[in-house]
Amino acid sequence: TDRLSRLVGDIMDLSKMDAREITLDLKILDLTGLIVQVVEQLLPRAAAQVELSCQVPPSLPLVLCDPDQIQQVLLNLLDNALKYTPPGGKILVRAWPEENWVKVAVEDNGVGIPKEDLPRLFERFYRVDKARSRALGGTGLGLAIVKGIIEQHSGTVAVTSQPGIGTKFTFSLPAIE
């Protein structure tokens, strides 16, 4: 029932995005505090299996964003990193300014993703390891939601990965000039 509930919730989120029914509550924000808050929220869960750390500058250029939506992006990316990083692994969240963007990366040294799966990773219901992701409670919609939220913010999201080495998801939001 929990998995079904998550699935229905994720489908509802995507349907609202498709219908442009999500009204963003935009605020001018330095992402530093939000990133640190999300990492601290997940530290107790992570501490049992992996080393979770955060490298963000004391302040970042301001962005115009919906903090709740960006928090959901971070939680989805970190949840995936926690699911697919074996005990003793490391997860790092970094943020930095680059040209007119604020970039945020979630990197892990987990199982990695085969090259042939990378182009389809943000598709709805696409799973690299169907049996394992279902056992871990995934709906196959988290990365589609991440992409939708970032695109609503006029940003971009990308992934690089190597099996056995790890994965890095990076999203970029336009900085306010």
Side-chain angles (χ1 to χ4, degrees):
T1 58
D2 288 340
R3 184 173 182 282
L4 185 58
S5 178
R6 282 191 304 275
L7 182 61
V8 169
D10 287 350
I11 289 171
M12 292 296 296
D13 288 346
L14 284 168
S15 295
K16 288 177 186 174
M17 280 184 219
D18 288 346
R20 307 253 188 254
E21 290 178 8
I22 291 183
T23 304
L24 296 177
D25 183 15
L26 297 173
K27 297 186 177 4
I28 295 174
L29 186 69
D30 175 342
L31 290 178
T32 300
L34 181 64
I35 294 167
V36 169
Q37 174 191 349
V38 170
V39 169
E40 287 177 352
Q41 177 183 338
L42 292 175
L43 274 174
R45 177 177 157 205
Q49 70 180 54
V50 300
E51 178 186 320
L52 173 59
S53 60
C54 186
Q55 285 181 358
V56 293
S59 66
L60 288 161
L62 299 176
V63 297
L64 184 63
C65 72
D66 181 327
D68 291 339
Q69 296 290 313
I70 300 304
Q71 180 179 25
Q72 183 176 358
V73 166
L74 289 165
L75 287 169
N76 282 359
L77 294 176
L78 281 164
D79 185 59
N80 281 351
L82 286 166
K83 285 179 186 174
Y84 297 105
T85 302
K90 295 182 181 186
I91 299 169
L92 173 64
V93 181
R94 298 185 308 121
W96 67 96
E98 187 173 298
E99 297 176 5
N100 295 324
W101 298 92
V102 173
K103 297 199 169 216
V104 180
V106 176
E107 305 173 48
D108 66 59
N109 64 350
V111 297
I113 302 163
K115 185 176 182 177
E116 60 271 13
D117 289 307
L118 292 176
R120 298 192 59 199
L121 211 54
F122 294 99
E123 291 178 13
R124 295 171 187 199
F125 299 108
Y126 188 77
R127 297 169 181 232
V128 174
D129 181 349
K130 282 93 176 136
R132 183 156 189 240
S133 58
R134 184 169 288 122
L136 294 171
T139 63
L141 295 171
L143 292 176
I145 290 170
V146 165
K147 183 179 181 185
I149 290 171
I150 295 303
E151 287 178 348
Q152 283 186 312
H153 285 81
S154 301
T156 61
V157 62
V159 59
T160 58
S161 186
Q162 287 188 302
I165 295 176
T167 302
K168 176 178 163 183
F169 283 93
T170 306
F171 67 88
S172 305
L173 297 175
I176 297 174
E177 298 180 22

